[in-house]
Amino acid sequence: MIALAPLLVLAAPLVLAATQSPPAAAPSPLATVTIFVDASQGRREISPWLYGRNGDLTRKEERTLSLEAGVRIVRSTGGNNMTKYNWRNDLSTHPDWFQNVYRQHWPERAKAIQATPGIDGLFGLPVLGWVAKTDRYNYPDWTLDREGKRAHESLAGGGCATLYLEPQTPEGSAALLDHWLSPGGLALSATRFTLWHLDNEPNCWRGTHKDVSGTLMTGGEAVARFAAVAREVKARHPEILLMAPGFASEWYWWDWSDNSFVEGLPWTEFFIKRMAEESRKFGRNLIDLVDVHIYSSYSQSTDEDCLNEHRLWYDPGYEFPGANGVRGYPSGWDNNRKVEMLFARIEGWIDKYFGPDSGVGIGVTESGLESKKPMVWALWYASTLGVFADHGVRVFTPWYWTDPMWEVLHLWSRHAQRIRVAAGCSGEPKVSCYASVSVKGDRMTLILVNRDGTAARQASIALTGFRPKAGPATVLRLANLPDQKRTFVSRQKNALTRGTAKVSGESVGVTLPPWSITAVILTGKPAAVPAR
């Protein structure tokens, strides 16, 4: 962020003669926020994989919406169902439904993605060591427990997991790639299926896969399993990028599944440290992205909590209301420790253990929040995209998806530019500006988020390093999205309202309504930056 100079507002006193009638009341002026954008600073490419979803493109409606909105990657693993996936028979267990075994339709899903231009696929490789063998021993849910009252019990196979599961080696897991990417197999394009998961939420295996992992596994044993599969993958397909492990939500960012640190380190730090050590033994990185999940489903979450969630990743001044595990970091327990700054810490741990400029990045493949208000969802999603673009996060595929998110995705994916540049706003944390420029430097997009639900703002924007063309600039805005109605249909039919903003030299002025997302799109050219 750019450091902001303090703002001074001077008001002269109004003196009225005794005989003078008071003037008619004038509308209160809008509060002004000052925004500084420097196109010469903070330049980094925005990852197209930020524009991602969890989904299934075999369904026509989702395929059409994804193309129109500008989706660039689809995670189609089914989350926890990934852990026991057997690619040879396309079967896996459903850990939330009696551990019953069902077809997963991964080949059909992958082929649908390959047939959809411009969208990449994200699938996964099992690490736990057990995969589905047969669906012959499913618990008869339809006759015995139609309502699923015992769904979280391991009732498939009469409680004998070896009836429906079989062991799988790291070589067996990596062989999925041989089959999917080879001409004699599914013949999928390695350029469209470059990124792969290593399993999912190992902290939770003790509960989600208790049929074979009910006995506590140590954090060290879990990392060993991840490293073993990663070595097989990287030896066979060095071009593949691997992300792991899918740290479950806040408590499990810090604690292993026995509710404690591992060898004195938070679980996230321990995983990064051990994977770095195994990478050095192997001779190159065994993981390329650290994968994190976030669900702000803590009790009593408010609109304000949801609209501030984007701050928990990097902001040293934000105390997260859902903080829990972080209260034990770095040692002891302190109820006053509420600053997460998780991604800033992860970046520090990556540099510490893998070394600076290692190329290891961060991704988020599951997220969600509790709110029934469309604009809260829209503002949360826009804010998260903005922070992730600012800091170079490489993947974002929310697990929960609501109708307003189609509108935000379309606005970002279709109208933001490719290169993020530095921006700062005097109105933080209520108002933020996320700025980007085209590769040629002839276009700039400013996405302005007003999280204040009651007050509009007048934004005064000063540009450095970019000279806009004279005349009005295009403004696209999302506000007042309706409840229980999907407004996004296509690039031509959606809830974006169009307007203009005044451009004067290298300054722009625009009004930001309450609870709104406003994109200002400028054309022009790079400008020389004065020496400092």
Side-chain angles (χ1 to χ4, degrees), residues 261-338:
F261 286 4
V262 188
E263 297 181 11
L265 298 177
W267 163 235
T268 304
E269 181 179 2
F270 177 81
F271 182 87
I272 293 169
K273 174 179 179 289
R274 288 290 295 115
M275 290 301 289
E277 291 169 350
E278 293 298 324
S279 295
R280 282 192 290 275
K281 294 177 187 176
F282 184 69
R284 60 179 181 272
N285 291 345
L286 290 176
I287 58 169
D288 301 281
L289 287 97
V290 175
D291 181 26
V292 176
H293 297 170
I294 168 67
Y295 294 99
S296 65
S297 57
Y298 52 91
S299 62
Q300 308 302 319
S301 57
T302 65
D303 292 343
E304 194 75 8
D305 296 335
C306 295
L307 296 180
N308 276 299
E309 188 186 277
H310 64 285
R311 299 174 61 193
L312 72 84
W313 306 114
Y314 289 97
D315 189 341
Y318 180 59
E319 294 188 345
F320 180 45
N324 197 3
V326 71
R327 296 177 184 184
Y329 180 78
S331 62
W333 186 266
D334 186 345
N335 282 324
N336 293 319
R337 290 190 193 126
K338 297 180 181 180

Side-chain angles (χ1 to χ4, degrees), residues 407-408 410-411 415 475-479 481 487-488 491-498 517 519:
E407 294 284 1
V408 176
H410 170 250
L411 176 63
H415 297 286
V475 171
L476 303 174
R477 176 172 291 132
L478 293 172
L481 292 176
T487 56
F488 182 82
R491 286 182 244 183
Q492 290 73 39
K493 188 177 180 181
N494 51 67
L496 282 175
T497 59
R498 292 180 175 268
I517 303 162

Side-chain angles (χ1 to χ4, degrees), residues 85 96 258 270 333 468 471:
Y85 180 72
D96 299 320
D258 60 351
F270 177 81
W333 186 266

Side-chain angles (χ1 to χ4, degrees), residues 207-231:
T208 51
H209 303 286
K210 54 183 172 289
D211 52 345
V212 290
S213 192
T215 301
L216 179 63
M217 179 191 304
T218 69
E221 289 169 341
V223 173
R225 298 186 186 213
F226 278 88
V229 176
R231 282 192 293 269

Side-chain angles (χ1 to χ4, degrees), residues 77-96:
T77 63
N80 287 327
N81 290 23
M82 183 195 330
T83 298
K84 295 187 195 136
Y85 180 72
N86 189 339
W87 64 268
R88 292 175 178 84
N89 54 25
D90 189 43
L91 294 177
S92 187
T93 64
H94 197 314
D96 299 320

